[in-house]
Each structure stands twice: as structure tokens, then as C-alpha cells.
Amino acid sequence: MRLRLTPREDSYYDLFADSANNLVTASRLLVEIISDGSDRETLAEKMRACEHAGDERTHAIMNRLNESFITPFDREDIYRLASNLDDVMDYMEAAADLIGLYQIDHLPKEVVRQVEVLERAAELTAEAMPRLRGMNNLNEYWIEINRLENQADQVYRRLLAKLFGGEYDALTVMKMKEVIDQLEMAADAFEHVANTIESIAVKES
């Protein structure tokens, strides 16, 4: 295997930015998917395309990591950040896929709030990625992501209470719970991204 002897920092930063921007696209697709009357089949195809694009970016980062002798920050942090971003995409795509597979026509209104939190987290993550180059002004990003994840937890608990409150039959509860579980895991994964960036910033400071 040929190792590069000079840093290729720009390529890492660009790939991370691309991954984060892809999450913004996916979160906005989720907003459409949960809307009543949406063409979920077409939107699900677009979501799968986003997931595929995310995988390609993740593989590109891993390949670059294997080829590079010098990296902009710790190799394990590069690997962890790429994996965290990929996890977010996987959870959002899974939620979208389950909505279509289970043919869930109407979701509780609290799911809208779940997805709104994910959309905002995606936007903040995409805004933060360019600042990785200088490790500047990132603390407000991870603080806000942590706050959003706390909101997501509260919404998730309210959804669980609603699902098990007797309004829905057992089969519907099982289907909806799988969807909201994936959305909750996506919120957790956004926090993992922020925690990784915080760890990188601390090491580089």
C-alpha cells in the first residue's frame, strides 16, 4: 500500500462537509415523508440515494485514511467522526424506509417535532464542519446539539406515553415505535458527532 508523505487536509475537511450537507438533504426529505399526502415512494427512493451517497463519502474517508501517512488530526478521531456521520444517515434512512414498509398513513404530531429537531441538528452540523479547519467557534455548536438532543429525549418520552396510552392497537404501536426509535437514535447519533468534534477540538487546542 502506498502511503502519502504529505498531508491532504483539504480532502478530509471537504468530505466531512459533504457528509454533513448530505444529512441536511436527508433531514428535509424526512420532513416531506412524514407530511400527509406526500409521495412517499418517490421520497423513499431519494432517501435511499442519500444513504448511498453517504456511504460513498464514508468509504472515501476510510480509503484516504488508509493511504495517508499524515492526517489533520488523530486517525481514530477521523474514523470515529466518519462513522458517527454515517450512523445518523443510516438511522434517518431506516425511519423513512419503515414508514413506507409499514404503510403508516398518519403519524402522531409529536413525530413532526422529532424530525424538526433532526433537521435543525443537521443544519448546525453542516455549519460547523467548515470550522474544523481552524477549530474555531465550535463550542456553541456542541452545546446547542446537546440541548437539541435533550429536547429529542423529551419528545420521545411523550411519544412513548402516547403510543401506550390506549389510543392505538398493539400492531400499530409496534410499527410506530420502530419508527420513533430510529428517529431517537438519529438524534443520539448527532450528539455523538458533536461529542467527537468537541474531543477533537480539545486535543487540538
Side-chain angles (χ1 to χ4, degrees):
M1 180 185 299
R2 184 172 60 87
L3 296 179
R4 301 186 186 278
L5 298 178
T6 57
R8 293 291 302 276
E9 296 186 1
D10 286 347
S11 59
Y12 284 110
Y13 295 127
D14 290 343
L15 287 167
F16 283 133
D18 286 346
S19 292
N21 287 327
N22 192 50
L23 296 180
V24 175
T25 301
S27 69
R28 291 174 180 169
L29 284 171
L30 262 182
V31 171
E32 293 186 67
I33 286 170
I34 65 171
S35 302
D36 290 341
S38 62
D39 183 356
R40 287 178 174 166
E41 185 173 345
T42 298
L43 292 168
E45 284 293 332
K46 291 181 179 179
M47 182 65 88
R48 281 190 284 273
C50 268
E51 196 273 336
H52 181 67
D55 282 345
E56 288 184 338
R57 288 168 175 84
T58 301
H59 292 152
I61 292 169
M62 299 308 182
N63 288 338
R64 183 61 47 80
L65 194 57
N66 289 334
E67 295 171 356
S68 300
F69 183 71
I70 300 174
T71 56
F73 42 88
D74 283 354
R75 303 175 73 86
E76 63 183 31
D77 288 330
I78 292 173
Y79 176 84
R80 187 152 59 107
L81 182 54
S83 298
N84 292 157
L85 290 165
D86 190 56
D87 287 344
V88 177
M89 184 68 249
D90 287 346
Y91 292 134
M92 288 199 291
E93 193 275 333
D97 196 35
L98 287 169
I99 290 170
L101 289 173
Y102 288 155
Q103 299 180 338
I104 302 174
D105 293 327
H106 302 289
L107 290 156
K109 67 180 186 301
E110 290 85 358
V111 173
V112 174
R113 181 57 186 147
Q114 263 194 313
V115 174
E116 286 175 349
V117 169
L118 295 180
E119 184 182 21
R120 183 58 184 149
E123 291 168 352
L124 288 170
T125 302
E127 291 168 7
M129 284 301 160
R131 300 201 294 274
L132 272 177
R133 294 174 188 268
M135 299 294 171
N136 296 322
N137 303 316
L138 285 165
N139 60 318
E140 291 183 2
Y141 152 69
W142 61 66
I143 289 171
E144 182 61 12
I145 290 291
N146 289 335
R147 188 189 69 80
L148 285 171
E149 198 278 331
N150 288 335
Q151 282 189 7
D153 285 346
Q154 293 170 5
V155 174
Y156 176 70
R157 290 192 291 267
R158 287 198 294 271
L159 270 165
L160 288 180
K162 185 178 183 68
L163 287 183
F164 293 108
E167 180 179 347
Y168 302 100
D169 62 79
L171 184 58
T172 300
V173 168
M174 290 175 62
K175 292 177 179 179
M176 287 188 178
K177 186 175 183 302
E178 283 198 52
V179 172
I180 69 169
D181 281 350
Q182 294 297 320
L183 296 174
E184 170 66 6
M185 287 189 284
D188 289 343
F190 269 120
E191 186 176 41
H192 296 158
V193 171
N195 290 343
T196 298
I197 289 176
E198 181 179 10
S199 175
I200 293 167
V202 168
K203 290 178 183 178
E204 297 297 314
S205 63

